[in-house]
Amino acid sequence: MSVAASPALPLGDHLCENGFECVEILPSTNDAHGGVIVDLKDPMDPEIFASLLKSSLLQWKKQRKDGVWIKLPIELVNLVEIAIKEGFWYHHAEPNYVMLVYWIPKTGCTIPPNASHRVRIAAIVLNDKKEMLVVKEKRGKFHGIGVWKPPTGVVDAGEEIFEAAIREVKEETGIDTEFLEVLGFRQEHNIFFGKSDLTFLCMLHPLSFDIKRQELEIEAAQWMPFEEYAAQPFNQKHESFKYTIELCIAKMERVYTGLCPRPVSSFFSKDLSYVYLNTKDLDKSS
Amino acid sequence: MSVAASPALPLGDHLCENGFECVEILPSTNDAHGGVIVDLKDPMDPEIFASLLKSSLLQWKKQRKDGVWIKLPIELVNLVEIAIKEGFWYHHAEPNYVMLVYWIPKTGCTIPPNASHRVRIAAIVLNDKKEMLVVKEKRGKFHGIGVWKPPTGVVDAGEEIFEAAIREVKEETGIDTEFLEVLGFRQEHNIFFGKSDLTFLCMLHPLSFDIKRQELEIEAAQWMPFEEYAAQPFNQKHESFKYTIELCIAKMERVYTGLCPRPVSSFFSKDLSYVYLNTKDLDKSS
């Protein structure tokens, strides 16, 4: 390998070995799994990037690295094609960046997969008159079929499930609630670009009663007698919605226990986590 | 608008309005939310793509479309920069394609977010001698700290949770199992590129007993007396692992009920779905 360091390439790292060789490579950090991460932030001339990428891959191969990650902010989209032509592929993308990846060893690639699921909540809010909080939506698959349904919504990355349920009810109907428990959940496949959906059916207790619907997404909202909600032909026809009705009935009869959140510290993350458990049964244990 | 149709642009759709105008746009289909989807498969000259994209956006604006999706396979990476320069941004990417998106209206963007969660299982397998199936891992955060832990793994998009639990136990230890129930679950944030993790703690019953560990990822595997597993200082130190021990004890004392899967048809997907419910309580209900 030649001595390639040059003041014309001001953006790379200089890597010197044994005092003899000096080659310029992309700035990178090591990850915890034997790979390297390149997190480019500033613009780079495409020809310089192409040259640095080639010399970097040679170095990383010598160093027996395995996975190579390159994060390119959307402003550096002009470098994506160069990396793909060098053998990289897409790992994931978010609105403002794309993450490219490459696997150096000839043995099996253990690059972990991208996020695979969307998480949703459906919020069962029953008041003391056995009325259920229901909405009609302006968009989506429920629009135009005349069905009254519980408030539903997406749990964002970083958001707690019980907090998402409280937030969605408040956003769609203006009703304040306290969270009681997760009654159960449903997993569905191939909903959205081949990903899977996990929907947590949550039970909440209303703390206010005057509905103020969100006008952008919600056509109508009301407190509906539970019997009337359950009798909708749509709910009788679709198995997963029939279970919602059965769970509500069991809950009103006080014979059903779901899972309640308890805060815990996490081994994997600095952020607060929650476990969801049948705390009623757990408290019976010695 | 000029009559722009030309045999030199063989890849676009010809859109004629009122018999007067004829403009070439990118081939697209309508989605269910008022937007359009461009699913390019064949190579296209970048200049032609740039020109068609501009005329298409003009047309879609006239048609009052809202979201515009462009799916570009990795072979067409040379077109990504052109779309980004036209105002598109990344929605998501998978190994072999990137999905770009653009929002036409001036009102709030309702493009749904990308998948937000990874889903994992941890598999509790206890035999009749109150021994637990445990492993030591060769990689990751558990490597090198000497902890015996239950088999764990990722639930792939499209995979059922209980099937993933059975598969991971078989892959890591060679043990056949039947699935009993989900004891509870844990949500953790900022684990992997800002996404959240959902880990389902699953209870399984062993159907075989001779361990055959997977050599790539597993350093060692054994049946360990439950008391010995529980007594590991690591498990006493970390709250979420202490809950695992409490749940196992409650389960061995037969006082705990979790959630069991039941198959249901889905309103949203053609694929078979499962709901996970406290079926023991539900069966008590009238």
Side-chain angles (χ1 to χ4, degrees):
Chain A
M1 192 180 307
S2 64
V3 176
S6 143
L9 302 174
L11 290 162
D13 275 1
H14 292 76
L15 184 87
C16 296
E17 287 176 5
N18 312 322
F20 287 100
E21 297 182 299
C22 196
V23 62
E24 191 166 42
I25 65 166
L26 289 164
S28 68
T29 53
N30 294 324
D31 68 20
H33 302 269
V36 293
I37 305 169
V38 176
D39 185 3
L40 285 187
K41 291 193 165 67
D42 298 316
M44 187 180 284
D45 178 88
E47 283 184 28
I48 294 176
F49 176 71
S51 157
L52 285 176
L53 185 56
K54 277 184 200 293
S55 58
S56 302
L57 283 171
L58 282 172
Q59 275 302 318
W60 294 326
K61 277 176 197 173
K62 281 190 177 183
Q63 294 170 356
R64 297 181 172 274
K65 296 293 181 191
D66 46 31
V68 180
W69 302 84
I70 301 182
K71 183 177 177 179
L72 291 174
I74 195 164
E75 297 78 19
L76 305 192
V77 62
N78 62 326
L79 306 182
V80 174
E81 186 180 356
I82 295 163
I84 299 288
K85 283 188 175 158
E86 205 58 55
F88 282 74
W89 63 90
Y90 301 120
H91 185 268
H92 68 275
E94 292 297 322
N96 58 352
Y97 76 88
V98 63
M99 182 69 84
L100 306 173
V101 75
Y102 183 88
W103 184 251
I104 292 177
K106 293 195 172 133
T107 54
C109 172
T110 61
I111 297 283
N114 185 7
S116 53
H117 285 67
R118 281 193 314 176
V119 175
R120 303 173 58 82
I121 58 88
I124 306 293
V125 186
L126 281 161
N127 68 20
D128 298 340
K129 292 187 270 182
K130 295 196 177 173
E131 291 170 332
M132 187 160 156
L133 183 62
V134 290
V135 300
K136 278 189 182 177
E137 291 183 347
K138 283 189 177 173
R139 291 166 180 256
K141 273 200 85 170
F142 283 102
H143 175 61
I145 57 172
V147 177
W148 291 97
K149 59 178 278 298
T152 54
V154 169
V155 181
D156 298 323
E159 189 178 29
E160 205 39 59
I161 291 164
F162 70 88
E163 288 169 346
I166 292 169
R167 174 183 57 72
E168 284 288 349
V169 172
K170 180 72 177 173
E171 280 176 13
E172 294 193 358
T173 68
I175 297 294
D176 294 307
T177 53
E178 67 174 335
F179 184 88
L180 299 178
E181 60 182 25
V182 168
L183 299 177
F185 60 88
R186 184 175 73 224
Q187 193 184 26
E188 288 161 306
H189 306 297
N190 273 315
I191 302 286
F192 185 65
F193 300 124
K195 302 285 179 175
S196 295
D197 268 23
L198 264 171
T199 304
F200 290 91
L201 188 67
C202 300
M203 188 104 201
L204 299 98
H205 179 72
L207 298 174
S208 71
F209 302 93
D210 292 335
I211 290 170
K212 190 174 178 342
R213 77 176 162 92
Q214 191 230 52
E215 298 197 357
L216 186 66
E217 293 174 3
I218 304 299
E219 190 181 308
Q222 67 164 322
W223 290 105
M224 178 181 253
F226 175 75
E227 297 302 327
E228 205 177 307
Y229 165 76
Q232 293 181 102
F234 176 89
N235 283 340
Q236 294 300 323
K237 189 177 157 195
H238 290 90
E239 264 185 323
S240 59
F241 299 102
K242 263 201 266 188
Y243 272 117
T244 301
I245 293 165
E246 285 184 36
L247 287 167
C248 290
I249 292 170
K251 203 67 210 171
M252 288 190 280
E253 291 173 354
R254 298 176 192 274
V255 295
Y256 189 90
T257 308
L259 308 182
C260 289
R262 283 195 180 170
V264 289
S265 60
S266 166
F267 173 60
F268 298 100
S269 167
K270 286 174 190 165
D271 298 15
L272 183 64
S273 296
Y274 281 83
V275 288
Y276 290 72
L277 309 165
N278 182 335
T279 50
K280 194 173 148 194
D281 279 2
L282 201 60
D283 293 342
K284 284 187 230 158
S285 171
S286 52
Chain B
M1 190 183 310
S2 63
V3 177
S6 143
L9 302 174
L11 290 162
D13 274 3
H14 291 78
L15 183 86
C16 296
E17 288 176 4
N18 312 321
F20 287 100
E21 298 181 299
C22 196
V23 62
E24 191 165 45
I25 65 166
L26 289 163
S28 69
T29 53
N30 294 323
D31 69 20
H33 302 270
V36 292
I37 305 169
V38 176
D39 185 3
L40 284 187
K41 290 193 166 66
D42 298 317
M44 186 181 284
D45 178 88
E47 284 184 28
I48 293 176
F49 177 71
S51 157
L52 285 175
L53 185 57
K54 277 184 199 293
S55 58
S56 303
L57 283 171
L58 283 171
Q59 275 302 319
W60 295 324
K61 276 175 199 172
K62 283 191 177 185
Q63 295 169 357
R64 298 181 171 274
K65 296 294 180 189
D66 46 30
V68 180
W69 302 84
I70 301 183
K71 184 176 177 180
L72 291 174
I74 194 164
E75 297 78 19
L76 305 192
V77 62
N78 61 326
L79 307 181
V80 174
E81 185 180 356
I82 294 163
I84 299 289
K85 282 187 174 160
E86 205 57 55
F88 282 74
W89 63 89
Y90 301 120
H91 184 268
H92 69 275
E94 292 297 322
N96 58 351
Y97 76 88
V98 62
M99 182 70 84
L100 305 173
V101 75
Y102 183 87
W103 185 251
I104 291 176
K106 289 188 177 142
T107 54
C109 172
T110 60
I111 297 283
N114 185 5
S116 53
H117 286 66
R118 279 194 315 176
V119 176
R120 302 174 59 82
I121 58 88
I124 306 294
V125 186
L126 282 161
N127 68 21
D128 297 339
K129 292 187 270 182
K130 294 195 178 173
E131 292 170 331
M132 187 161 156
L133 184 61
V134 290
V135 300
K136 278 190 181 176
E137 290 182 348
K138 283 190 176 174
R139 290 165 180 255
K141 273 199 83 171
F142 282 104
H143 176 61
I145 58 173
V147 177
W148 291 97
K149 59 179 278 299
T152 54
V154 170
V155 181
D156 298 324
E159 189 178 30
E160 205 40 59
I161 291 164
F162 70 87
E163 287 169 344
I166 292 170
R167 173 183 58 71
E168 284 288 348
V169 172
K170 180 72 178 175
E171 280 176 14
E172 294 194 356
T173 69
I175 298 293
D176 295 307
T177 53
E178 67 175 335
F179 184 88
L180 297 179
E181 60 183 23
V182 168
L183 298 178
F185 60 88
R186 184 176 72 224
Q187 194 186 26
E188 290 162 305
H189 305 298
N190 273 315
I191 303 286
F192 185 66
F193 300 123
K195 302 286 179 174
S196 295
D197 268 23
L198 263 171
T199 304
F200 290 92
L201 188 67
C202 301
M203 189 102 199
L204 299 98
H205 179 72
L207 299 175
S208 70
F209 302 92
D210 293 334
I211 290 170
K212 189 173 179 344
R213 76 175 162 91
Q214 190 229 51
E215 299 197 357
L216 186 66
E217 294 175 1
I218 304 300
E219 190 181 307
Q222 65 163 322
W223 290 104
M224 178 183 252
F226 175 75
E227 296 303 326
E228 203 176 311
Y229 166 77
Q232 294 181 101
F234 176 89
N235 283 340
Q236 293 300 324
K237 189 176 157 196
H238 290 91
E239 265 184 322
S240 59
F241 299 104
K242 264 201 267 189
Y243 272 117
T244 301
I245 293 164
E246 284 185 37
L247 286 167
C248 290
I249 292 170
K251 203 66 211 172
M252 286 189 282
E253 290 173 354
R254 300 177 190 276
V255 295
Y256 189 89
T257 308
L259 308 182
C260 289
R262 282 195 181 170
V264 289
S265 59
S266 165
F267 174 59
F268 298 100
S269 166
K270 287 176 189 163
D271 298 16
L272 183 64
S273 295
Y274 280 83
V275 288
Y276 290 73
L277 308 165
N278 182 335
T279 50
K280 195 173 147 192
D281 279 1
L282 201 60
D283 292 342
K284 284 187 230 156
S285 173
S286 53

